[in-house]
Amino acid sequence: MDTILVVNAGSSSVKFQVYSVEGEGRLQRQIRGQIDGIGSRPRLRASGANGDPLADRAYPIEAVSDVPAAMTIAGEWLRNELRIHPIAVGHRVVHGGPEHDRPVLIDHGVVARLERLVALAPLHQPHNLAPIRSILAGFPSLPQVACFDTAFHRTHGPLADHYAIPHQLHAEGVRRYGFHGLSYEYIAKTLPHIAPDIAKRRVIVAHLGSGASMCALKDGQSVESTMGFTALDGLPMGTRPGQLDPGVVLYLISERGMSASNVQNFLYRDCGLKGLSGVSNDMRELDASADPKAKLAVDYFIYRIGLNAGMLAAALQGLDAFVFTAGIGENSANIRARVVEQLGWLGGALDPIENSRNSRLISRSDSRIPVYVVPTDEELMIAQHTLSLLMNGQSTNPRQERVS
Ligand code: AMP
Protein backbone atom coordinates (compact mmCIF):
# COMPACT_ATOMS: atom_id res chain seq x y z
CA MET A 1 0.00 0.00 0.00
CA ASP A 2 1.42 3.41 -1.00
CA THR A 3 1.18 5.95 1.79
CA ILE A 4 1.82 9.67 2.33
CA LEU A 5 3.01 10.94 5.71
CA VAL A 6 1.87 14.44 6.77
CA VAL A 7 3.85 16.23 9.48
CA ASN A 8 2.89 19.33 11.45
CA ALA A 9 5.68 20.15 13.88
CA GLY A 10 5.44 22.80 16.61
CA SER A 11 7.66 23.75 19.54
CA SER A 12 6.43 21.04 21.92
CA SER A 13 4.59 18.59 19.68
CA VAL A 14 4.85 16.76 16.38
CA LYS A 15 1.47 15.87 14.87
CA PHE A 16 1.38 13.36 12.03
CA GLN A 17 -1.13 11.62 9.81
CA VAL A 18 -0.79 8.76 7.35
CA TYR A 19 -2.90 8.57 4.18
CA SER A 20 -3.16 5.61 1.85
CA VAL A 21 -3.17 6.37 -1.88
CA GLU A 22 -6.20 4.70 -3.42
CA GLY A 23 -7.35 4.45 -7.05
CA GLU A 24 -7.24 7.63 -9.14
CA GLY A 25 -5.13 9.38 -6.54
CA ARG A 26 -7.84 9.36 -3.87
CA LEU A 27 -6.46 9.69 -0.34
CA GLN A 28 -7.78 7.84 2.69
CA ARG A 29 -6.72 8.83 6.20
CA GLN A 30 -5.37 5.73 8.01
CA ILE A 31 -3.57 7.04 11.09
CA ARG A 32 -3.69 10.19 13.19
CA GLY A 33 -0.98 10.61 15.82
CA GLN A 34 1.14 12.98 17.79
CA ILE A 35 4.06 13.16 20.13
CA ASP A 36 3.46 15.94 22.62
CA GLY A 37 5.19 17.06 25.80
CA ILE A 38 8.55 17.25 23.98
CA GLY A 39 11.18 18.27 26.54
CA SER A 40 8.72 17.88 29.44
CA ARG A 41 6.52 14.74 29.50
CA PRO A 42 6.83 13.12 26.07
CA ARG A 43 3.98 10.90 25.00
CA LEU A 44 3.14 9.17 21.72
CA ARG A 45 -0.55 8.79 21.00
CA ALA A 46 -2.05 7.48 17.79
CA SER A 47 -5.34 6.16 16.50
CA GLY A 48 -6.52 4.40 13.34
CA ALA A 49 -9.02 5.38 10.66
CA ASN A 50 -12.02 4.70 12.90
CA GLY A 51 -10.52 6.29 15.99
CA ASP A 52 -9.38 2.90 17.33
CA PRO A 53 -6.34 3.42 19.63
CA LEU A 54 -3.02 2.23 18.16
CA ALA A 55 -0.53 3.60 20.69
CA ASP A 56 -0.39 5.50 23.96
CA ARG A 57 3.04 5.40 25.54
CA ALA A 58 5.16 7.71 27.65
CA TYR A 59 8.90 8.29 27.08
CA PRO A 60 11.60 9.54 29.43
CA ILE A 61 12.33 13.22 28.90
CA GLU A 62 15.89 12.57 27.71
CA ALA A 63 14.62 10.23 24.94
CA VAL A 64 12.54 13.01 23.35
CA SER A 65 14.32 16.24 24.10
CA ASP A 66 13.57 18.02 20.80
CA VAL A 67 11.52 17.90 17.60
CA PRO A 68 14.01 15.80 15.54
CA ALA A 69 14.07 13.19 18.33
CA ALA A 70 10.25 13.09 18.32
CA MET A 71 10.27 12.69 14.52
CA THR A 72 12.72 9.78 14.83
CA ILE A 73 10.50 8.02 17.37
CA ALA A 74 7.35 8.53 15.30
CA GLY A 75 9.18 7.34 12.16
CA GLU A 76 10.55 4.22 13.87
CA TRP A 77 7.13 3.39 15.29
CA LEU A 78 5.54 3.68 11.85
CA ARG A 79 8.28 1.68 10.10
CA ASN A 80 9.05 -1.01 12.66
CA GLU A 81 5.66 -1.67 14.23
CA LEU A 82 3.18 -0.78 11.49
CA ARG A 83 5.45 -1.54 8.48
CA ILE A 84 4.59 1.84 6.97
CA HIS A 85 7.16 3.18 4.50
CA PRO A 86 5.71 6.38 3.04
CA ILE A 87 6.41 7.26 -0.59
CA ALA A 88 6.59 10.95 0.36
CA VAL A 89 6.29 13.31 3.32
CA GLY A 90 4.29 16.56 3.30
CA HIS A 91 5.08 19.23 5.88
CA ARG A 92 3.18 22.21 7.16
CA VAL A 93 5.53 25.19 7.01
CA VAL A 94 4.18 28.43 8.36
CA HIS A 95 6.13 30.83 6.15
CA GLY A 96 6.87 30.62 2.44
CA GLY A 97 7.92 34.26 2.12
CA PRO A 98 7.00 36.44 -0.85
CA GLU A 99 8.06 33.97 -3.55
CA HIS A 100 6.17 30.78 -2.66
CA ASP A 101 2.61 30.88 -3.93
CA ARG A 102 2.29 27.09 -3.91
CA PRO A 103 3.85 24.02 -2.28
CA VAL A 104 7.37 23.06 -3.28
CA LEU A 105 9.43 19.86 -3.51
CA ILE A 106 12.19 20.14 -0.92
CA ASP A 107 15.92 20.00 -1.54
CA HIS A 108 18.87 21.53 0.30
CA GLY A 109 18.49 24.81 -1.61
CA VAL A 110 14.81 25.13 -0.61
CA VAL A 111 15.67 24.42 3.05
CA ALA A 112 18.35 27.15 2.94
CA ARG A 113 15.83 29.64 1.48
CA LEU A 114 13.18 28.74 4.07
CA GLU A 115 15.80 29.07 6.79
CA ARG A 116 16.17 32.74 5.86
CA LEU A 117 12.51 33.24 6.76
CA VAL A 118 13.04 32.20 10.40
CA ALA A 119 13.26 35.88 11.35
CA LEU A 120 9.70 36.37 10.02
CA ALA A 121 8.24 33.50 12.11
CA PRO A 122 10.74 32.76 14.89
CA LEU A 123 8.34 30.72 17.02
CA HIS A 124 7.17 28.40 14.24
CA GLN A 125 9.53 28.21 11.26
CA PRO A 126 12.50 26.57 13.09
CA HIS A 127 10.25 23.78 14.42
CA ASN A 128 8.67 23.26 10.99
CA LEU A 129 12.11 22.94 9.39
CA ALA A 130 13.64 20.62 12.02
CA PRO A 131 11.92 17.38 10.89
CA ILE A 132 12.52 18.30 7.23
CA ARG A 133 16.23 18.50 7.91
CA SER A 134 16.37 15.26 9.88
CA ILE A 135 14.43 13.33 7.20
CA LEU A 136 16.65 14.86 4.50
CA ALA A 137 19.71 13.59 6.41
CA GLY A 138 18.36 10.10 7.20
CA PHE A 139 16.37 9.43 4.01
CA PRO A 140 17.88 11.66 1.30
CA SER A 141 15.93 10.03 -1.54
CA LEU A 142 12.50 10.27 0.14
CA PRO A 143 10.55 13.10 -1.54
CA GLN A 144 9.43 15.83 0.85
CA VAL A 145 7.03 18.67 0.13
CA ALA A 146 6.65 21.97 2.02
CA CYS A 147 3.10 23.40 2.16
CA PHE A 148 2.88 27.00 3.37
CA ASP A 149 0.31 28.83 5.47
CA THR A 150 1.10 31.99 3.53
CA ALA A 151 0.91 30.61 -0.04
CA PHE A 152 -2.85 30.84 -0.56
CA HIS A 153 -2.76 34.59 0.15
CA ARG A 154 -0.12 35.39 -2.48
CA THR A 155 -3.01 36.39 -4.77
CA HIS A 156 -3.41 39.59 -2.71
CA GLY A 157 -3.08 42.81 -4.68
CA PRO A 158 -0.57 45.51 -3.65
CA LEU A 159 -3.10 47.35 -1.47
CA ALA A 160 -3.63 44.26 0.68
CA ASP A 161 0.07 43.33 0.64
CA HIS A 162 1.55 46.66 1.83
CA TYR A 163 1.91 48.55 5.06
CA ALA A 164 2.24 52.34 4.87
CA ILE A 165 5.96 52.20 5.57
CA PRO A 166 8.96 52.92 3.32
CA HIS A 167 9.33 50.60 0.33
CA GLN A 168 12.69 49.27 1.44
CA LEU A 169 10.98 47.38 4.28
CA HIS A 170 8.47 45.83 1.88
CA ALA A 171 11.39 44.71 -0.29
CA GLU A 172 12.98 43.16 2.79
CA GLY A 173 9.81 41.14 3.36
CA VAL A 174 7.82 43.28 5.78
CA ARG A 175 4.45 42.61 4.15
CA ARG A 176 0.93 41.59 5.00
CA TYR A 177 1.25 37.86 4.28
CA GLY A 178 -1.83 36.37 5.93
CA PHE A 179 -1.87 32.88 7.50
CA HIS A 180 -4.15 29.81 7.93
CA GLY A 181 -3.85 29.52 4.13
CA LEU A 182 -4.13 25.72 4.03
CA SER A 183 -7.42 25.93 5.91
CA TYR A 184 -8.80 28.63 3.57
CA GLU A 185 -7.62 26.70 0.54
CA TYR A 186 -9.48 23.61 1.76
CA ILE A 187 -12.67 25.66 2.25
CA ALA A 188 -12.26 27.33 -1.16
CA LYS A 189 -11.99 23.91 -2.81
CA THR A 190 -14.86 22.41 -0.85
CA LEU A 191 -17.35 25.26 -1.43
CA PRO A 192 -17.95 24.43 -5.12
CA HIS A 193 -19.32 21.04 -3.99
CA ILE A 194 -21.51 22.59 -1.29
CA ALA A 195 -22.76 25.70 -3.04
CA PRO A 196 -21.50 25.95 -6.64
CA ASP A 197 -23.28 29.24 -7.34
CA ILE A 198 -21.86 30.88 -4.19
CA ALA A 199 -18.29 29.55 -4.52
CA LYS A 200 -17.50 31.95 -7.37
CA ARG A 201 -18.81 34.98 -5.50
CA ARG A 202 -17.86 37.05 -2.41
CA VAL A 203 -17.35 34.92 0.67
CA ILE A 204 -15.92 35.60 4.13
CA VAL A 205 -14.41 32.58 5.90
CA ALA A 206 -13.89 32.80 9.67
CA HIS A 207 -11.24 30.34 10.90
CA LEU A 208 -11.99 30.48 14.63
CA GLY A 209 -9.67 28.19 16.59
CA SER A 210 -7.06 28.85 19.23
CA GLY A 211 -5.47 30.85 16.42
CA ALA A 212 -8.14 32.89 14.65
CA SER A 213 -8.36 34.87 11.44
CA MET A 214 -10.76 35.72 8.65
CA CYS A 215 -10.27 35.68 4.90
CA ALA A 216 -12.13 37.40 2.06
CA LEU A 217 -12.56 35.09 -0.95
CA LYS A 218 -13.56 36.26 -4.41
CA ASP A 219 -14.01 33.52 -7.02
CA GLY A 220 -12.24 31.12 -4.63
CA GLN A 221 -9.14 33.32 -4.31
CA SER A 222 -7.94 35.19 -1.24
CA VAL A 223 -8.17 38.96 -1.70
CA GLU A 224 -7.76 40.10 1.92
CA SER A 225 -7.04 38.64 5.36
CA THR A 226 -7.18 39.89 8.92
CA MET A 227 -3.65 38.63 9.59
CA GLY A 228 -0.59 40.42 8.31
CA PHE A 229 3.18 40.26 8.79
CA THR A 230 2.83 37.73 11.61
CA ALA A 231 0.04 35.62 13.05
CA LEU A 232 -0.43 38.23 15.80
CA ASP A 233 -2.67 40.64 13.90
CA GLY A 234 -6.42 40.75 13.35
CA LEU A 235 -8.81 38.90 15.65
CA PRO A 236 -8.10 38.29 19.35
CA MET A 237 -6.99 34.66 19.83
CA GLY A 238 -6.45 32.23 22.68
CA THR A 239 -3.24 33.92 23.84
CA ARG A 240 -2.55 36.56 21.13
CA PRO A 241 -4.07 40.04 21.19
CA GLY A 242 -5.01 40.51 17.55
CA GLN A 243 -4.98 44.08 16.28
CA LEU A 244 -2.93 46.27 18.60
CA ASP A 245 -1.71 49.84 18.25
CA PRO A 246 2.09 49.55 17.75
CA GLY A 247 2.29 52.32 20.36
CA VAL A 248 1.42 49.70 22.98
CA VAL A 249 4.60 47.81 22.06
CA LEU A 250 6.61 51.05 22.35
CA TYR A 251 5.06 51.64 25.77
CA LEU A 252 6.00 48.13 26.96
CA ILE A 253 9.60 48.75 25.91
CA SER A 254 10.06 52.34 27.06
CA GLU A 255 7.88 52.43 30.20
CA ARG A 256 7.94 48.81 31.35
CA GLY A 257 11.55 48.15 30.31
CA MET A 258 10.62 44.93 28.50
CA SER A 259 13.16 43.35 26.14
CA ALA A 260 12.27 42.25 22.61
CA SER A 261 12.02 38.62 23.69
CA ASN A 262 9.88 39.54 26.71
CA VAL A 263 7.51 41.45 24.44
CA GLN A 264 7.45 38.52 22.01
CA ASN A 265 6.55 36.05 24.74
CA PHE A 266 3.96 38.43 26.14
CA LEU A 267 2.25 38.94 22.76
CA TYR A 268 2.25 35.26 21.79
CA ARG A 269 1.46 33.70 25.17
CA ASP A 270 -0.16 36.11 27.65
CA CYS A 271 -2.67 38.19 25.71
CA GLY A 272 -5.89 37.47 23.82
CA LEU A 273 -8.73 35.65 25.57
CA LYS A 274 -6.32 34.50 28.30
CA GLY A 275 -5.00 37.98 29.04
CA LEU A 276 -8.33 39.75 28.86
CA SER A 277 -10.26 37.19 30.94
CA GLY A 278 -7.52 36.21 33.37
CA VAL A 279 -9.43 32.90 33.37
CA SER A 280 -8.45 30.79 30.35
CA ASN A 281 -7.48 30.76 26.69
CA ASP A 282 -10.05 28.00 26.08
CA MET A 283 -13.39 29.17 24.69
CA ARG A 284 -15.26 26.29 26.36
CA GLU A 285 -14.09 27.41 29.81
CA LEU A 286 -14.87 31.06 29.07
CA ASP A 287 -18.33 30.17 27.79
CA ALA A 288 -19.03 28.26 31.02
CA SER A 289 -17.55 30.87 33.38
CA ALA A 290 -19.61 33.33 35.44
CA ASP A 291 -16.60 35.67 35.84
CA PRO A 292 -17.43 39.12 34.32
CA LYS A 293 -13.92 39.30 32.80
CA ALA A 294 -14.56 35.99 30.98
CA LYS A 295 -17.77 37.51 29.63
CA LEU A 296 -15.84 40.62 28.53
CA ALA A 297 -13.31 38.43 26.69
CA VAL A 298 -16.05 36.53 24.81
CA ASP A 299 -17.93 39.77 24.04
CA TYR A 300 -14.67 41.31 22.72
CA PHE A 301 -14.05 38.23 20.50
CA ILE A 302 -17.55 38.51 18.98
CA TYR A 303 -17.30 42.30 18.59
CA ARG A 304 -13.96 42.11 16.77
CA ILE A 305 -15.27 39.39 14.42
CA GLY A 306 -18.13 41.75 13.58
CA LEU A 307 -15.77 44.70 12.97
CA ASN A 308 -13.48 42.59 10.79
CA ALA A 309 -16.45 41.21 8.82
CA GLY A 310 -17.29 44.82 7.96
CA MET A 311 -13.72 45.45 6.84
CA LEU A 312 -13.61 42.33 4.66
CA ALA A 313 -17.06 43.07 3.19
CA ALA A 314 -15.65 46.48 2.20
CA ALA A 315 -12.67 44.75 0.54
CA LEU A 316 -15.13 42.52 -1.36
CA GLN A 317 -17.57 45.40 -2.02
CA GLY A 318 -20.40 43.24 -0.74
CA LEU A 319 -21.02 39.81 0.67
CA ASP A 320 -22.67 36.68 -0.73
CA ALA A 321 -21.90 34.06 1.97
CA PHE A 322 -20.22 33.55 5.34
CA VAL A 323 -18.44 30.35 6.45
CA PHE A 324 -17.43 29.22 9.95
CA THR A 325 -14.59 26.78 10.45
CA ALA A 326 -11.97 25.48 13.01
CA GLY A 327 -12.49 24.47 16.67
CA ILE A 328 -14.77 27.29 17.82
CA GLY A 329 -16.40 27.86 14.44
CA GLU A 330 -17.23 24.18 13.97
CA ASN A 331 -18.35 23.41 17.52
CA SER A 332 -19.73 26.42 19.36
CA ALA A 333 -23.36 27.06 18.41
CA ASN A 334 -23.45 29.88 20.96
CA ILE A 335 -20.52 31.82 19.48
CA ARG A 336 -21.86 31.27 15.94
CA ALA A 337 -25.29 32.58 16.94
CA ARG A 338 -23.77 35.72 18.42
CA VAL A 339 -21.52 36.29 15.38
CA VAL A 340 -24.46 35.91 12.98
CA GLU A 341 -26.32 38.51 15.07
CA GLN A 342 -23.40 40.87 14.29
CA LEU A 343 -23.85 40.09 10.59
CA GLY A 344 -27.51 41.19 10.59
CA TRP A 345 -26.75 44.45 8.74
CA LEU A 346 -24.89 42.43 6.07
CA GLY A 347 -27.94 40.21 5.59
CA GLY A 348 -27.22 37.23 7.88
CA ALA A 349 -30.19 35.61 9.69
CA LEU A 350 -29.72 32.47 11.78
CA ASP A 351 -31.80 29.30 11.86
CA PRO A 352 -31.36 28.43 15.56
CA ILE A 353 -32.39 24.80 15.14
CA GLU A 354 -29.96 24.07 12.31
CA ASN A 355 -27.29 25.99 14.23
CA SER A 356 -27.80 23.90 17.38
CA ARG A 357 -27.44 20.75 15.23
CA ASN A 358 -24.10 21.99 13.79
CA SER A 359 -25.70 21.61 10.34
CA ARG A 360 -23.80 22.60 7.25
CA LEU A 361 -26.25 25.44 6.41
CA ILE A 362 -27.27 27.36 9.54
CA SER A 363 -29.02 30.43 8.07
CA ARG A 364 -32.78 30.80 7.61
CA SER A 365 -34.23 30.31 4.16
CA ASP A 366 -35.02 34.05 4.01
CA SER A 367 -31.48 35.08 5.07
CA ARG A 368 -30.02 37.36 2.37
CA ILE A 369 -26.68 35.56 2.73
CA PRO A 370 -26.30 31.83 3.41
CA VAL A 371 -24.16 30.99 6.46
CA TYR A 372 -22.28 27.68 6.43
CA VAL A 373 -20.30 25.53 8.86
CA VAL A 374 -17.54 23.66 6.99
CA PRO A 375 -15.07 21.56 9.01
CA THR A 376 -11.58 22.32 7.78
CA ASP A 377 -8.92 19.69 6.92
CA GLU A 378 -5.46 21.21 6.55
CA GLU A 379 -3.74 17.81 6.70
CA LEU A 380 -5.74 16.43 3.76
CA MET A 381 -4.76 19.56 1.84
CA ILE A 382 -1.07 18.85 2.57
CA ALA A 383 -1.44 15.18 1.58
CA GLN A 384 -3.12 16.18 -1.71
CA HIS A 385 -0.42 18.71 -2.55
CA THR A 386 2.27 16.17 -1.72
CA LEU A 387 0.75 13.51 -3.97
CA SER A 388 0.15 16.02 -6.73
CA LEU A 389 3.78 17.18 -6.66
CA LEU A 390 4.92 13.60 -6.63
CA MET A 391 2.79 12.66 -9.65
CA ASN A 392 3.25 15.81 -11.71
CA GLY A 393 6.76 16.79 -10.69
CA GLN A 394 5.32 20.20 -9.87
CA SER A 395 2.29 21.46 -8.01
CA THR A 396 -0.68 22.25 -10.17
CA ASN A 397 -2.04 25.68 -9.40
CA PRO A 398 -3.48 25.06 -5.93
CA ARG A 399 -6.42 27.30 -6.68
CA GLN A 400 -7.56 25.19 -9.63
CA GLU A 401 -7.63 21.78 -7.98
CA ARG A 402 -10.69 20.64 -6.14
CA VAL A 403 -11.05 18.54 -3.05
CA SER A 404 -12.68 15.23 -3.90
P1 AMP B 1 -8.49 24.59 17.13
O1 AMP B 1 -7.29 25.46 17.33
O2 AMP B 1 -9.10 24.73 15.76
O3 AMP B 1 -8.28 23.16 17.52
O4 AMP B 1 -9.62 25.15 18.14
C1 AMP B 1 -9.41 25.17 19.52
C2 AMP B 1 -10.45 26.06 20.16
O5 AMP B 1 -11.75 25.56 19.87
C3 AMP B 1 -10.34 26.15 21.68
O6 AMP B 1 -10.47 27.50 22.10
C4 AMP B 1 -11.53 25.34 22.14
O7 AMP B 1 -12.01 25.80 23.37
C5 AMP B 1 -12.53 25.64 21.05
N1 AMP B 1 -13.64 24.69 21.06
C6 AMP B 1 -13.64 23.39 20.72
N2 AMP B 1 -14.88 22.86 20.93
C7 AMP B 1 -15.67 23.85 21.41
C8 AMP B 1 -17.04 23.95 21.82
N3 AMP B 1 -17.85 22.92 21.77
N4 AMP B 1 -17.46 25.15 22.28
C9 AMP B 1 -16.65 26.22 22.34
N5 AMP B 1 -15.36 26.19 21.96
C10 AMP B 1 -14.86 25.03 21.50
Side-chain angles (χ1 to χ4, degrees):
M1 174 174 71
D2 282 346
T3 54
I4 303 267
L5 174 64
V6 171
V7 176
N8 181 359
S11 57
S12 65
S13 74
V14 173
K15 296 183 182 143
F16 59 92
Q17 297 196 0
V18 175
Y19 291 81
S20 57
V21 182
E22 313 277 324
E24 294 168 2
R26 242 176 1 93
L27 290 161
Q28 192 75 43
R29 193 178 345 250
Q30 301 294 348
I31 295 168
R32 206 190 283 264
Q34 67 176 63
I35 296 191
D36 54 22
I38 296 171
S40 56
R41 298 165 79 201
R43 191 171 204 100
L44 164 68
R45 273 180 274 236
S47 53
N50 304 318
D52 42 317
L54 295 176
D56 184 358
R57 51 183 86 152
Y59 291 85
I61 182 168
E62 59 280 4
V64 195
S65 56
D66 57 14
V67 168
M71 198 61 246
T72 303
I73 288 196
E76 281 174 357
W77 177 71
L78 289 169
R79 279 193 309 280
N80 299 341
E81 299 191 30
L82 302 189
R83 306 273 169 241
I84 286 175
H85 301 273
I87 55 169
V89 186
H91 296 265
R92 180 182 196 166
V93 177
V94 69
H95 224 301
E99 69 268 33
H100 286 123
D101 67 349
R102 66 193 64 187
V104 64
L105 205 52
I106 292 168
D107 58 23
H108 287 284
V110 169
V111 175
R113 284 205 299 283
L114 297 179
E115 193 81 57
R116 279 185 231 128
L117 301 171
V118 163
L120 303 187
L123 297 189
H124 296 97
Q125 195 85 345
H127 305 298
N128 301 156
L129 296 183
I132 293 179
R133 254 191 258 97
S134 60
I135 293 173
L136 207 49
F139 303 87
S141 57
L142 179 61
Q144 296 191 78
V145 172
C147 300
F148 306 104
D149 269 317
T150 49
F152 185 66
H153 300 293
R154 295 320 296 150
T155 43
H156 286 184
L159 295 180
D161 192 48
H162 276 264
Y163 288 109
I165 54 177
H167 274 283
Q168 178 52 35
L169 284 161
H170 183 263
E172 278 176 40
V174 184
R175 303 175 182 210
R176 294 190 64 243
Y177 291 99
F179 296 86
H180 292 136
L182 291 159
S183 174
Y184 293 126
E185 188 183 350
Y186 177 83
I187 304 293
K189 287 179 179 171
T190 303
L191 269 182
H193 302 285
I194 296 172
D197 47 329
I198 295 291
K200 287 201 149 297
R201 302 178 71 181
R202 298 162 300 183
V203 180
I204 294 177
V205 185
H207 176 107
L208 308 178
S210 47
S213 71
M214 292 160 74
C215 176
L217 295 178
K218 196 183 241 171
D219 194 9
Q221 299 206 346
S222 171
V223 297
E224 183 56 274
S225 153
T226 58
M227 278 182 170
F229 179 53
T230 67
L232 284 171
D233 203 1
L235 302 179
M237 295 164 241
T239 58
R240 291 170 256 166
Q243 188 187 0
L244 189 72
D245 182 335
V248 174
V249 174
L250 297 177
Y251 175 87
L252 295 174
I253 296 166
S254 63
E255 300 303 315
R256 291 287 202 96
M258 287 170 75
S259 67
S261 72
N262 284 342
V263 172
Q264 178 169 287
N265 272 331
F266 174 74
L267 294 176
Y268 277 95
R269 301 192 211 285
D270 296 334
C271 294
L273 299 175
K274 178 183 168 194
L276 191 52
S277 70
V279 172
S280 171
N281 61 341
D282 191 309
M283 187 54 87
R284 280 167 293 202
E285 285 182 39
L286 297 176
D287 236 359
S289 169
D291 188 318
K293 291 207 289 306
K295 179 179 173 334
L296 174 67
V298 178
D299 289 352
Y300 184 79
F301 185 67
I302 307 283
Y303 173 63
R304 301 303 301 195
I305 293 169
L307 288 187
N308 280 275
M311 178 185 82
L312 295 183
L316 290 166
Q317 290 290 291
L319 186 62
D320 299 306
F322 192 93
V323 179
F324 288 98
T325 193
I328 300 170
E330 291 166 25
N331 297 300
S332 176
N334 176 31
I335 299 289
R336 284 197 305 259
R338 295 189 57 194
V339 169
V340 175
E341 221 173 279
Q342 296 277 314
L343 301 178
W345 68 279
L346 283 166
L350 189 77
D351 180 328
I353 298 194
E354 296 301 335
N355 184 44
S356 66
R357 289 182 184 144
N358 289 332
S359 298
R360 178 152 276 180
L361 180 66
I362 59 166
S363 47
R364 286 202 316 250
S365 55
D366 63 344
S367 179
R368 197 191 64 73
I369 57 161
V371 180
Y372 296 98
V373 179
V374 182
T376 194
D377 197 338
E378 291 150 298
E379 289 78 12
L380 177 61
M381 211 64 262
I382 295 171
Q384 287 189 337
H385 280 310
T386 304
L387 184 62
S388 152
L389 261 168
L390 206 61
M391 294 198 315
N392 305 326
Q394 58 167 355
S395 173
T396 45
N397 185 332
R399 281 164 283 282
Q400 280 161 14
E401 294 166 38
R402 285 188 174 185
V403 171
S404 58

